[in-house]
Amino acid sequence: MTRRLHIKTFGCQMNVYDSARMADVLAPLGYAATERADDADLVVLNTCHIREKAAEKLYSELGRIRRSKEARAAEGKTAMIAVAGCVAQAEGAEILSRAPYVDMVVGPQSYHRLPQLIAEAARRDPSNPSGVVDVEFPAEPKFDHLPPVRHRGPSAFLSVQEGCDKFCTFCVVPYTRGWEFSRPVKDVLDEARRVVDRGALEITLLGQNVNAYHGDAGGGAEAGLGGLIRRLAEIDGLKRIRYTTSHPRDMSDDLIAAHGEVEALMPFLHLPVQSGSDRILAAMNRRHTRDDYRRIVDKLMAARPDLKLSSDFIVGFPGETGEDFDETVALARETRFIQAYSFKYSTRPGTPGAAMPNQIDDSVKAERLLELQAVLDQNQIVFNRSSIGRKMAVLLDRPGRKAGQFAGRSVYMQPVHVDAPARYFGRIAELEITDAHANSLSARLAGEEGGNGSHMERAFA
Ligand code: 5AD
Ligand code: SF4
């Protein structure tokens, strides 16, 4: 019997990966994806808790889904609702008391048990219809219980590490995703070969703290991320490797060296710095200084001179003075990130930052955010403009906005749009950049490219 499954994903790429894996777990039960929530026998909301209003967003989304559940019930059809992801982990049974029509609450470490949870939820006693909750951190990693990936396509995510033991004082991740865990090298290689066999030219390795990766390499040995990347690079047909998100403390010399050695490793790195002030970095428990960060960037550039960086910033962390903020702006200016995400500090319940004195007024945070974003946007636009006239290798992995158009990413993760015949889909094409916009580039075909394009980019250094 075919049943319909609608998964709505919020938050990071890890959640995108998890949503795909939930679909893999449910496929043997006959669940096939549908774009429409009101068509679905099962709706999964895969939630994010990283910043403000996560819970409110969830409850308003749930309100909408409740109405379609009721409309289906009136037609004699069922619709189950599952809340998954980081808000599920943080709120647990609280979700059932606020939204009693929810059938299942399942944390990011337990979704391999969805089939059992669905059966349990279906067997509920109608006189006590409370939903089922599974927010355990099981001793056995979920990866051992997941079916092989079914992903097909030119670009794939691959989760290699989860959780975090760093305890930055602003962050909920250690509480929602649990302690750090790395998948064994063999598991990662098997999954990578499988997605390459299914058409992937590019793999993005995922982890909340991906460069803290330390997976079992067999024979009592352990591999770091650099070692893992070198092994992955041996896979025939895998042209591009990326990884995200990294912590500066875990940028080991070996990993930095891999950037210089491994041609398939893209010359682009997301390395969040959060603040340019040593005082604030210490209060955030980042365990590095601004100069440590600069030194890491210098080493990376020495290993791979054409490398470009992106970053995350938080403004208005408790106690941040105007001078602290100015240091952040100065760092943003001098490091010339080609992309960046910046956020107003948001108090996360249960984190040390939430209990700190000297919380900053929202109006000050808003002002600082605007000022910082102006600098970051400027860096991005200057870089995008400098791309005009250049040739770039772009993996055309999605349809464009208009018919006859494809979109893809440059080695630097810039979105690029191009008119191209259908056969270009899923290929790495050589494009000439014709125009630059704030967040994307336009291009025309400039020939065809068999490699991963990084040698062309090296000429840009
Ligand atoms: N407030 C604002 N931004 C945050 N981030 C994480 N926690 C918070 C918070 N409490 C940002 C950081 C991180 C990115 C994923 O989200 O910049 O790198
Ligand atoms: Fe959001 Fe963090 Fe959870 Fe990803 S891991 S969904 S960013 S809270």
Side-chain angles (χ1 to χ4, degrees), residues 366-405:
E367 250 171 54
R368 290 182 184 168
L369 187 66
L370 276 180
E371 188 182 335
L372 178 61
Q373 276 175 347
V375 172
L376 295 169
D377 288 352
Q378 181 64 18
N379 286 344
Q380 179 168 335
I381 219 148
V382 165
F383 182 69
N384 281 354
R385 286 207 188 113
S386 76
S387 307
I388 297 175
R390 285 178 170 181
K391 290 202 175 136
M392 287 196 176
V394 177
L395 173 55
L396 296 173
D397 63 349
R398 64 200 81 178
R401 283 188 219 108
K402 298 180 215 138
Q405 225 182 34

Side-chain angles (χ1 to χ4, degrees), residues 10-12 14-15 47-50 86 172-173 176-177 208:
F10 302 84
C12 63
M14 184 75 94
N15 267 15
T47 58
C48 171
H49 204 232
I50 194 92
C86 295
V172 283
V173 167
T176 60
R177 290 274 174 171
Q208 266 92 31

Side-chain angles (χ1 to χ4, degrees), residues 50-51 170-171 272 274 312-314 343-346 348:
I50 194 92
R51 281 175 299 273
F170 52 79
C171 187
Q274 316 296 0
D312 290 341
F313 292 89
I314 296 176
F343 310 101
K344 292 193 279 186
Y345 170 68
S346 151
R348 302 284 71 209

Side-chain angles (χ1 to χ4, degrees), residues 39 52 73 112 130 132 168 197 202 243 276 292 315 367 398 407 426-427:
D39 237 11
E52 229 145 10
H112 56 292
S130 167
V132 297
C168 299
D197 285 346
E202 172 179 270
Y243 62 90
D292 295 333
V315 301
E367 250 171 54
R398 64 200 81 178
R427 292 211 201 163

